[in-house]
Amino acid sequence: KNEVEQSPQNLTAQEGEFITINCSYSVGISALHWLQQHPGGGIVSLFMLSSGKKKHGRLIATINIQEKHSSLHITASHPRDSAVYICAATPRGSEKLVFGKGMKLTVNP
Amino acid sequence: DTAVSQTPKYLVTQMGNDKSIKCEQNLGHDTMYWYKQDSKKFLKIMFSYNNKELIINETVPNRFSPKSPDKAHLNLHINSLELGDSAVYFCASSPRGQRYEQYFGPGTRLTVT
């Protein structure tokens, strides 16, 4: 079992919908990252958080350290949000980044 | 200006050959990484260097050897290429370790035939 699990693995939504992507992890962590991989292959870091909540435009990331869970929310989704969203965690005491398998999001117009 | 660049973008080669992938970052970051993304799109760390010093070396075959001539460059040399080495290799950098935001290069798609 991977230390970082994401659900769902695939999601199709209609433009304008509110989307939630979940990530759970099984070890203590010092940081959690949300990454976006575009259909062309490039990877962009969306958020890095260790507690609470961060917001950037239509994206919101939250983390619950006690429950070992993080969510990425997309408000007013748009077809350009179609991408693979990857959760990754830095285990406490480690310099290693452990990745989830990613969630492929398709937003239809 | 490109923050993290990799060359080449595509690399097609035959089994048994030796090849290198180069990575450069102009962000002034201390830490650089190599990641491998397999055919199922799963990312896994291979190596991490901090100020030219190797700090992470995952269970990667000895055929893979990273080299950091200075903290802005981290190259990956692969000897005796095998079919299973086919993947996309991403270089990344961060200001100082995994607790900071990572900046990824565009990736190098390696195909071994």
Side-chain angles (χ1 to χ4, degrees):
Chain A
K1 190 174 190 285
N2 200 30
E3 291 170 294
V4 179
E5 296 285 344
Q6 289 187 242
S7 63
Q9 287 193 314
N10 292 281
L11 181 63
T12 300
Q14 287 302 122
E15 184 172 358
E17 285 184 5
F18 179 83
I19 292 163
T20 295
I21 305 166
N22 295 303
C23 174
S24 59
Y25 50 91
S26 56
V27 297
I29 65 167
S30 55
L32 187 126
H33 301 249
W34 280 103
L35 310 171
Q36 180 192 55
Q37 186 166 26
H38 299 288
I43 298 175
V44 173
S45 175
L46 298 175
F47 295 102
M48 196 284 296
L49 65 166
S50 53
S51 64
K53 178 178 169 178
K54 286 190 176 179
K55 184 177 190 291
H56 186 256
R58 294 180 294 106
L59 302 178
I60 303 166
T62 62
I63 188 167
N64 185 319
I65 298 293
Q66 286 74 30
E67 294 187 5
K68 294 187 168 63
H69 182 269
S70 176
S71 294
L72 177 68
H73 305 285
I74 306 174
T75 60
S77 60
H78 190 275
R80 65 173 174 266
D81 297 326
S82 298
V84 175
Y85 292 84
I86 303 167
C87 171
T90 305
R92 202 176 295 126
S94 168
E95 287 295 318
K96 200 169 70 164
L97 201 58
V98 180
F99 294 87
K101 293 188 176 177
M103 191 221 74
K104 184 175 180 181
L105 172 67
T106 304
V107 181
N108 292 319
Chain B
D1 279 347
T2 304
V4 183
S5 59
Q6 291 180 232
T7 53
K9 193 165 169 62
Y10 300 96
L11 184 53
V12 181
T13 188
Q14 290 185 321
M15 280 175 58
N17 284 349
D18 302 339
K19 290 292 178 187
S20 291
I21 307 171
K22 294 187 176 181
C23 178
E24 177 181 1
Q25 55 96 2
N26 62 6
L27 298 166
H29 288 168
D30 286 345
T31 312
M32 295 184 73
Y33 313 84
W34 277 110
Y35 295 100
K36 180 180 179 181
Q37 187 172 43
D38 62 24
S39 57
K40 294 181 180 176
K41 304 288 188 183
F42 189 49
L43 274 161
K44 201 165 183 185
I45 190 163
M46 299 173 70
F47 300 104
S48 173
Y49 269 74
N50 191 61
N51 270 322
K52 302 196 299 175
E53 183 183 341
L54 181 67
I55 55 171
I56 294 175
N57 184 351
E58 283 297 287
T59 43
V60 176
N62 290 339
R63 300 181 294 102
F64 289 79
S65 53
K67 284 191 171 49
S68 182
D70 55 61
K71 77 173 195 179
H73 295 85
L74 180 61
N75 304 323
L76 184 65
H77 189 75
I78 316 169
N79 288 328
S80 305
L81 278 154
E82 299 177 359
L83 292 175
D85 297 332
S86 296
V88 181
Y89 292 85
F90 286 95
C91 176
S93 72
S94 70
R96 204 167 54 245
Q98 298 275 15
R99 296 177 195 80
Y100 294 83
E101 185 178 358
Q102 304 233 339
Y103 293 77
F104 285 81
T108 295
R109 183 175 292 278
L110 171 65
T111 304
V112 183
T113 61

